[in-house]
Amino acid sequence: MMEAWAVVKNGAPLERIEIPDRDPQGTEIVLAVTHGGVCHSDLHFWKGSYNMGGGKIMLLAERGVKLPRAPGHEIVGRVTKVGPQASGVAIGDLRIVFPWLGCGVCQRCQDGEDNLCDKPSAIGVMHHGGFGEQVVVPHSRFLVDPGDIDPAFAATLACSGITVYSAIKKIMPLAADEPVVLIGAGGLGLAAISMLIALGHQNIVSVDIHADQRAAALEMGATKAVDGSQKDVGALLLEAAGGPVKAVIDFVNVSLTAQVGLDCLAKGGKLILIGVSGGDLMLSLAGMVFKPRTVQGSGTGTVSDLRAVVALAQSGKLRSIPLTILPKDAANSALQMLENGQVRGRIVLAAA
């Protein structure tokens, strides 16, 4: 039997449960989880719903999620078992797990864009994730060697790392001194600062409502930090950036932040939506013609993105965000800290 901290009832404390162990079939690989990041998405999974705007709520139960389920999609683990047709890894190998699985057979999956599959099968959502002792991966192509990267940092690359990398690709090309606005300085916002600097960018404006988070953004290398709690935050942001900007990435993504981000764009600018806090964005249709701009969602990233991010980290260019390491049995405390805004950077749960 495998132990796991699982969501048994949405909104209730996680419970330690036992899950039947099983031998891998075909190309499957079993890994013992050594490190697992705690993401804001895990909070939404715990609650079981998403605010879709317009008074609409999406329930995960209606999307095929069955409880109990161990969340956690930022995973590093050590290979303990391999299926009879598995190749590319050996028992004892330490690997980062790409969790954003699809159906495995559609054209998106065949093209390596598993995260865009219309039948998502993500680890930590549709399958038990990093809050458990083990995870099962369908194929070695979803495993990446972290090399000498700190495994706690490496775990965050499977979501935080590839999410910001994928978003940054969408705003490029952009001159290194062009201001990029990042709304939210939580784990993803700080990771985006680190990623932009690693990719050679030099002008980063961070926005957050919390003074501690703004301080963290400046420590990570942001050029300026704007107080998002101010009523005139849009004007303050434009002042900090020196005028309308070509790129905004919104890691909060509520009605207010998305609107501020859109209003700060120059002609031809791009607003990339990442957060899933929920709400609505009102658009003037004619205004989108007279002042052409792009609003685009961005969902995690691909296996290729993960390999590129890991290579960047291995080169020493990508700096780790602040990490708080807690034992696996502190999973409930970790979620509560995240819910209360008490986390600087990322919490990572480590096996004993």
Side-chain angles (χ1 to χ4, degrees):
M1 302 294 286
M2 174 190 82
E3 287 191 345
W5 285 93
V7 178
V8 176
K9 180 181 179 181
N10 289 124
L14 303 184
E15 296 182 26
R16 189 199 298 266
I17 66 171
E18 289 189 340
I19 301 167
D21 196 3
R22 68 176 180 87
D23 291 328
Q25 306 296 310
T27 61
E28 290 180 333
I29 297 158
V30 178
L31 300 95
V33 177
T34 63
H35 297 82
V38 182
C39 177
H40 248 101
S41 294
D42 295 320
L43 271 181
H44 290 282
F45 183 85
W46 168 56
K47 295 175 182 178
S49 63
Y50 286 84
N51 174 6
M52 302 303 291
K56 298 178 181 178
I57 300 295
M58 182 186 77
L59 300 177
L60 290 179
E62 297 172 353
R63 299 294 293 262
V65 174
K66 297 180 180 179
L67 302 181
R69 178 80 76 236
H73 49 263
E74 294 188 339
I75 304 164
V76 164
R78 197 169 294 279
V79 176
T80 57
K81 299 178 183 179
V82 297
Q85 280 82 54
S87 62
V89 292
I91 302 297
D93 285 347
L94 191 70
R95 293 292 184 266
I96 305 169
V97 175
F98 177 82
W100 308 111
L101 309 179
C103 68
V105 297
C106 71
Q107 193 59 52
R108 287 287 198 189
C109 290
Q110 294 302 307
D111 291 341
E113 295 179 326
D114 308 75
N115 60 308
L116 299 180
C117 177
D118 288 330
K119 297 179 180 179
S121 188
I123 295 172
V125 180
M126 305 304 292
H127 306 279
H128 291 300
F131 285 33
E133 287 185 322
Q134 298 178 350
V135 293
V136 180
V137 178
H139 196 280
S140 62
R141 77 180 184 89
F142 299 113
L143 301 176
V144 179
D145 186 353
D148 59 359
I149 307 172
D150 175 1
F153 173 41
T156 69
L157 302 181
C159 176
S160 178
I162 62 175
T163 296
V164 300
Y165 181 78
S166 177
I168 290 168
K169 286 199 302 182
K170 291 177 175 63
I171 64 172
M172 295 299 171
L174 202 65
D177 60 352
E178 282 278 357
V180 173
V181 172
L182 306 177
I183 301 179
L188 284 174
L190 296 183
I193 295 170
S194 180
M195 187 69 69
L196 282 164
I197 292 171
L199 295 171
H201 207 80
Q202 302 167 1
N203 193 348
I204 304 165
V205 180
S206 178
V207 186
D208 201 281
I209 62 174
H210 300 292
D212 182 60
Q213 301 288 50
R214 295 195 299 275
L218 292 171
E219 290 171 13
M220 283 300 299
T223 313
K224 294 181 181 178
V226 174
D227 185 353
S229 67
Q230 299 299 308
K231 290 183 178 179
D232 56 347
V233 59
L236 292 173
L237 198 158
L238 288 172
E239 180 182 358
V245 299
K246 294 182 180 178
V248 177
I249 304 177
D250 188 353
F251 296 108
V252 180
N253 199 19
V254 293
S255 301
L256 176 61
T257 60
Q259 192 64 59
V260 167
L262 181 65
D263 292 344
C264 290
L265 289 180
K267 287 185 177 181
K270 298 177 181 179
L271 169 63
I272 308 300
L273 305 177
I274 299 293
V276 288
S277 296
D280 304 281
L281 178 61
M282 298 298 293
L283 294 175
S284 163
L285 299 182
M288 292 294 286
V289 175
F290 295 128
K291 188 179 180 182
R293 292 154 291 168
T294 298
V295 179
Q296 182 175 2
S298 185
T300 66
T302 66
V303 178
S304 295
D305 289 336
L306 180 56
R307 296 188 186 281
V309 170
V310 170
L312 199 60
Q314 290 173 339
S315 74
K317 295 180 180 179
L318 185 64
R319 178 184 171 194
S320 174
I321 62 175
L323 301 177
T324 300
I325 312 299
L326 297 177
K328 188 72 67 73
D329 60 8
N332 275 306
S333 297
L335 288 178
Q336 200 61 56
M337 290 168 64
L338 199 57
E339 172 82 345
N340 295 337
Q342 298 171 323
V343 181
R344 176 180 276 212
R346 208 51 142 203
I347 293 177
V348 176
L349 303 177

PDB file of all heavy atoms in Angstrom, residues 10 48 57-66 126:
ATOM      1  N   ASN A  10     -13.937  18.004  -0.796  1.00  0.00           N
ATOM      2  CA  ASN A  10     -13.500  19.348  -1.168  1.00  0.00           C
ATOM      3  C   ASN A  10     -13.717  20.334  -0.030  1.00  0.00           C
ATOM      4  O   ASN A  10     -14.797  20.401   0.557  1.00  0.00           O
ATOM      5  CB  ASN A  10     -14.235  19.830  -2.408  1.00  0.00           C
ATOM      6  CG  ASN A  10     -13.809  19.114  -3.663  1.00  0.00           C
ATOM      7  OD1 ASN A  10     -14.628  18.526  -4.368  1.00  0.00           O
ATOM      8  ND2 ASN A  10     -12.531  19.129  -3.972  1.00  0.00           N
ATOM      9  N   GLY A  48     -12.162  22.397  -5.178  1.00  0.00           N
ATOM     10  CA  GLY A  48     -13.000  21.656  -6.108  1.00  0.00           C
ATOM     11  C   GLY A  48     -13.759  22.471  -7.121  1.00  0.00           C
ATOM     12  O   GLY A  48     -14.631  21.945  -7.818  1.00  0.00           O
ATOM     13  N   ILE A  57     -19.704  28.690 -12.284  1.00  0.00           N
ATOM     14  CA  ILE A  57     -18.717  27.951 -11.509  1.00  0.00           C
ATOM     15  C   ILE A  57     -18.463  26.612 -12.187  1.00  0.00           C
ATOM     16  O   ILE A  57     -19.414  25.909 -12.557  1.00  0.00           O
ATOM     17  CB  ILE A  57     -19.206  27.708 -10.062  1.00  0.00           C
ATOM     18  CG1 ILE A  57     -19.470  29.034  -9.347  1.00  0.00           C
ATOM     19  CG2 ILE A  57     -18.189  26.875  -9.288  1.00  0.00           C
ATOM     20  CD1 ILE A  57     -18.244  29.890  -9.126  1.00  0.00           C
ATOM     21  N   MET A  58     -17.192  26.258 -12.364  1.00  0.00           N
ATOM     22  CA  MET A  58     -16.847  24.947 -12.906  1.00  0.00           C
ATOM     23  C   MET A  58     -16.456  24.028 -11.758  1.00  0.00           C
ATOM     24  O   MET A  58     -15.534  24.330 -10.997  1.00  0.00           O
ATOM     25  CB  MET A  58     -15.681  25.044 -13.898  1.00  0.00           C
ATOM     26  CG  MET A  58     -15.312  23.692 -14.522  1.00  0.00           C
ATOM     27  SD  MET A  58     -13.833  23.774 -15.563  1.00  0.00           S
ATOM     28  CE  MET A  58     -12.527  23.817 -14.320  1.00  0.00           C
ATOM     29  N   LEU A  59     -17.169  22.938 -11.605  1.00  0.00           N
ATOM     30  CA  LEU A  59     -16.858  21.946 -10.595  1.00  0.00           C
ATOM     31  C   LEU A  59     -15.954  20.876 -11.188  1.00  0.00           C
ATOM     32  O   LEU A  59     -16.249  20.334 -12.263  1.00  0.00           O
ATOM     33  CB  LEU A  59     -18.138  21.309 -10.050  1.00  0.00           C
ATOM     34  CG  LEU A  59     -19.142  22.254  -9.376  1.00  0.00           C
ATOM     35  CD1 LEU A  59     -20.384  21.485  -8.957  1.00  0.00           C
ATOM     36  CD2 LEU A  59     -18.502  22.943  -8.181  1.00  0.00           C
ATOM     37  N   LEU A  60     -14.880  20.561 -10.482  1.00  0.00           N
ATOM     38  CA  LEU A  60     -13.961  19.546 -10.992  1.00  0.00           C
ATOM     39  C   LEU A  60     -14.630  18.178 -11.073  1.00  0.00           C
ATOM     40  O   LEU A  60     -14.285  17.361 -11.925  1.00  0.00           O
ATOM     41  CB  LEU A  60     -12.714  19.485 -10.118  1.00  0.00           C
ATOM     42  CG  LEU A  60     -11.781  20.690 -10.230  1.00  0.00           C
ATOM     43  CD1 LEU A  60     -10.588  20.532  -9.304  1.00  0.00           C
ATOM     44  CD2 LEU A  60     -11.303  20.875 -11.665  1.00  0.00           C
ATOM     45  N   ALA A  61     -15.579  17.936 -10.194  1.00  0.00           N
ATOM     46  CA  ALA A  61     -16.293  16.660 -10.236  1.00  0.00           C
ATOM     47  C   ALA A  61     -17.017  16.488 -11.565  1.00  0.00           C
ATOM     48  O   ALA A  61     -17.162  15.363 -12.061  1.00  0.00           O
ATOM     49  CB  ALA A  61     -17.283  16.572  -9.079  1.00  0.00           C
ATOM     50  N   GLU A  62     -17.453  17.603 -12.155  1.00  0.00           N
ATOM     51  CA  GLU A  62     -18.139  17.540 -13.443  1.00  0.00           C
ATOM     52  C   GLU A  62     -17.178  17.325 -14.596  1.00  0.00           C
ATOM     53  O   GLU A  62     -17.604  17.058 -15.718  1.00  0.00           O
ATOM     54  CB  GLU A  62     -18.934  18.833 -13.664  1.00  0.00           C
ATOM     55  CG  GLU A  62     -20.034  19.049 -12.631  1.00  0.00           C
ATOM     56  CD  GLU A  62     -20.679  20.414 -12.737  1.00  0.00           C
ATOM     57  OE1 GLU A  62     -20.175  21.249 -13.528  1.00  0.00           O
ATOM     58  OE2 GLU A  62     -21.691  20.654 -12.045  1.00  0.00           O
ATOM     59  N   ARG A  63     -15.876  17.473 -14.315  1.00  0.00           N
ATOM     60  CA  ARG A  63     -14.855  17.257 -15.343  1.00  0.00           C
ATOM     61  C   ARG A  63     -14.188  15.893 -15.214  1.00  0.00           C
ATOM     62  O   ARG A  63     -13.159  15.629 -15.822  1.00  0.00           O
ATOM     63  CB  ARG A  63     -13.789  18.354 -15.255  1.00  0.00           C
ATOM     64  CG  ARG A  63     -14.321  19.765 -15.479  1.00  0.00           C
ATOM     65  CD  ARG A  63     -14.814  19.951 -16.905  1.00  0.00           C
ATOM     66  NE  ARG A  63     -13.723  19.880 -17.851  1.00  0.00           N
ATOM     67  CZ  ARG A  63     -13.102  20.933 -18.368  1.00  0.00           C
ATOM     68  NH1 ARG A  63     -13.490  22.150 -18.027  1.00  0.00           N
ATOM     69  NH2 ARG A  63     -12.122  20.777 -19.235  1.00  0.00           N
ATOM     70  N   GLY A  64     -14.770  15.019 -14.396  1.00  0.00           N
ATOM     71  CA  GLY A  64     -14.269  13.653 -14.284  1.00  0.00           C
ATOM     72  C   GLY A  64     -13.289  13.413 -13.161  1.00  0.00           C
ATOM     73  O   GLY A  64     -12.737  12.309 -13.055  1.00  0.00           O
ATOM     74  N   VAL A  65     -13.043  14.410 -12.306  1.00  0.00           N
ATOM     75  CA  VAL A  65     -12.130  14.222 -11.180  1.00  0.00           C
ATOM     76  C   VAL A  65     -12.851  13.434 -10.093  1.00  0.00           C
ATOM     77  O   VAL A  65     -13.944  13.798  -9.661  1.00  0.00           O
ATOM     78  CB  VAL A  65     -11.645  15.577 -10.619  1.00  0.00           C
ATOM     79  CG1 VAL A  65     -10.813  15.365  -9.366  1.00  0.00           C
ATOM     80  CG2 VAL A  65     -10.848  16.321 -11.675  1.00  0.00           C
ATOM     81  N   LYS A  66     -12.217  12.359  -9.649  1.00  0.00           N
ATOM     82  CA  LYS A  66     -12.819  11.504  -8.627  1.00  0.00           C
ATOM     83  C   LYS A  66     -11.981  11.547  -7.355  1.00  0.00           C
ATOM     84  O   LYS A  66     -10.760  11.506  -7.402  1.00  0.00           O
ATOM     85  CB  LYS A  66     -12.930  10.068  -9.141  1.00  0.00           C
ATOM     86  CG  LYS A  66     -13.854   9.920 -10.353  1.00  0.00           C
ATOM     87  CD  LYS A  66     -13.936   8.474 -10.828  1.00  0.00           C
ATOM     88  CE  LYS A  66     -14.853   8.345 -12.040  1.00  0.00           C
ATOM     89  NZ  LYS A  66     -14.921   6.947 -12.531  1.00  0.00           N
ATOM     90  N   MET A 126      -6.112  14.107 -12.454  1.00  0.00           N
ATOM     91  CA  MET A 126      -6.835  12.891 -12.837  1.00  0.00           C
ATOM     92  C   MET A 126      -6.186  11.627 -12.267  1.00  0.00           C
ATOM     93  O   MET A 126      -6.806  10.561 -12.240  1.00  0.00           O
ATOM     94  CB  MET A 126      -6.916  12.789 -14.360  1.00  0.00           C
ATOM     95  CG  MET A 126      -7.527  14.001 -15.042  1.00  0.00           C
ATOM     96  SD  MET A 126      -9.178  14.426 -14.442  1.00  0.00           S
ATOM     97  CE  MET A 126     -10.126  13.032 -15.033  1.00  0.00           C
TER      98      MET A 126
END
